[in-house]
Amino acid sequence: MKKFIRIALILAVIALFAGCSSAEITKIDDLKASKVGVQNASVGESLIREMLKDSQDNILVYEDVAALIEALKVGQVDAVVMDESPARFFTANEQAIKILPETLYSSYYGIAVKKGNQELLKSVNKALVEIKEEGTLAAIISKYIHVEEPDPAAIDFNLGAKNGKLWVGCAAAFPPYEVRTIKGFSGIDVELCAAVAKKLDKELIMVDYRFEVLPEALETGRIDMICSALVMTEERAAVMDFSDPYDADQQVVLIPAK
């Protein structure tokens, strides 16, 4: 019996490594012959599905960026496509991975409100202008680049504000933009929304959803805004209204650091 168990384990290990890919990637075009990991419902997924339209089986979809990084480290995928800021966050702490020098796509982040909600959109844009001019936004971005574990308790959610609550949806597994721990929410987007809520004299309420659920939550009124490193695209602008951009980013490719 023990012999059979050992054989079964050996066969399982062989099967595992046989399923792992080992394509060498030195440029974007190499992705066409590689297994590529992407986050569900992300811009990266859209870009890769277009690039690999004749080989969709080579695209592996994950729910969050932490799972993407783990898939790359253990060899489930040859490369991962994600936004530049979280990519730099992970490569700063993981020597086993690196960013491909060639950029896949340039993009901008915006805050989304329900289509037609011009009153809220105008208020958010006015707040963003002030937050940028005061240097608050630059300070927030700098903080989350240089501080490994900011304290969620230090963020002012403007509790008890006289103008009610501002419900904001995010997918809180996307450092450095939004993270949720037992201590609460933190990240660039969280602190930015706290600053916006302060300008509107509203209490900030952050709600954690899966990324692909956020548009539905906005449309059905469960949240007032989406602020979740949301790339402004024509497709999304057809079903929601975007604020002015608050940050620029690029879609980059992560590969093993061989």
Side-chain angles (χ1 to χ4, degrees):
M1 177 62 71
K2 291 182 178 179
K3 180 178 180 181
F4 286 125
I5 293 174
R6 285 198 299 270
I7 292 173
L9 288 171
I10 292 170
L11 289 174
V13 171
I14 291 172
L16 173 64
F17 282 94
C20 295
S21 197
S22 58
E24 184 175 357
I25 299 171
T26 59
K27 57 185 184 299
I28 295 294
D29 198 54
D30 292 336
L31 295 176
K32 295 176 181 178
S34 307
K35 287 189 179 296
V36 184
V38 292
Q39 184 181 6
N40 190 19
S42 66
V43 169
E45 181 182 2
S46 299
L47 292 169
I48 290 303
R49 289 208 178 279
E50 177 62 26
M51 177 181 288
L52 305 184
K53 54 187 174 184
D54 296 325
S55 50
Q56 297 287 299
D57 289 345
N58 283 348
I59 302 170
L60 280 74
V61 180
Y62 298 85
E63 290 302 320
D64 58 61
V65 290
L68 277 175
I69 296 300
E70 189 61 26
L72 181 62
K73 288 167 58 180
V74 301
Q76 290 177 357
V77 294
D78 303 309
V80 158
V81 173
M82 67 168 61
D83 296 11
E84 181 182 27
S85 293
R88 295 200 179 282
F89 175 86
F90 282 107
T91 54
N93 298 288
E94 294 282 357
Q95 295 184 351
I97 56 178
K98 65 180 182 180
I99 299 174
L100 197 67
E102 188 180 356
T103 299
L104 185 62
Y105 177 78
S106 295
S107 56
Y108 292 91
Y109 294 148
I111 297 173
V113 303
K114 187 174 182 179
K115 196 74 175 173
N117 192 348
Q118 290 301 305
E119 182 179 355
L120 178 57
L121 187 63
K122 289 178 182 177
S123 297
V124 169
N125 278 333
K126 182 176 182 295
L128 284 176
V129 169
E130 295 174 1
I131 290 166
K132 290 175 183 177
E133 289 178 347
E134 293 164 357
T136 303
L137 178 57
I140 290 171
I141 293 173
S142 177
K143 170 183 175 179
Y144 284 91
I145 289 174
H146 296 102
V147 179
E148 187 172 342
E149 292 186 12
D151 182 9
I155 301 175
D156 182 4
F157 282 68
N158 208 26
L159 301 180
K162 69 176 183 180
N163 286 338
K165 295 177 171 60
L166 182 67
W167 294 78
V168 180
C170 71
F174 199 71
Y177 286 90
E178 44 267 332
V179 176
R180 185 182 187 184
T181 67
I182 58 173
K183 295 181 179 180
F185 289 92
S186 66
I188 293 171
D189 286 341
V190 177
E191 200 146 346
L192 170 62
C193 286
V196 169
K198 194 83 170 177
K199 294 288 184 183
L200 275 53
D201 200 8
K202 290 178 176 286
E203 178 180 337
L204 176 62
I205 307 292
M206 296 299 302
V207 188
D208 188 9
Y209 288 97
R210 296 196 315 275
F211 190 76
E212 69 273 17
V213 175
L214 287 169
E216 180 189 357
L218 183 66
E219 177 62 29
T220 56
R222 284 179 281 169
I223 54 176
D224 300 311
M225 308 190 319
I226 299 172
C227 190
S228 189
L230 192 65
V231 174
M232 304 166 67
T233 66
E234 290 184 7
E235 181 182 11
R236 287 173 176 163
V239 296
M240 59 186 74
D241 287 333
F242 278 104
S243 70
D244 296 332
Y246 65 87
D247 200 4
D249 203 37
Q250 301 181 103
Q251 295 292 312
V252 298
V253 178
L254 281 171
I255 58 175
K258 296 178 180 178

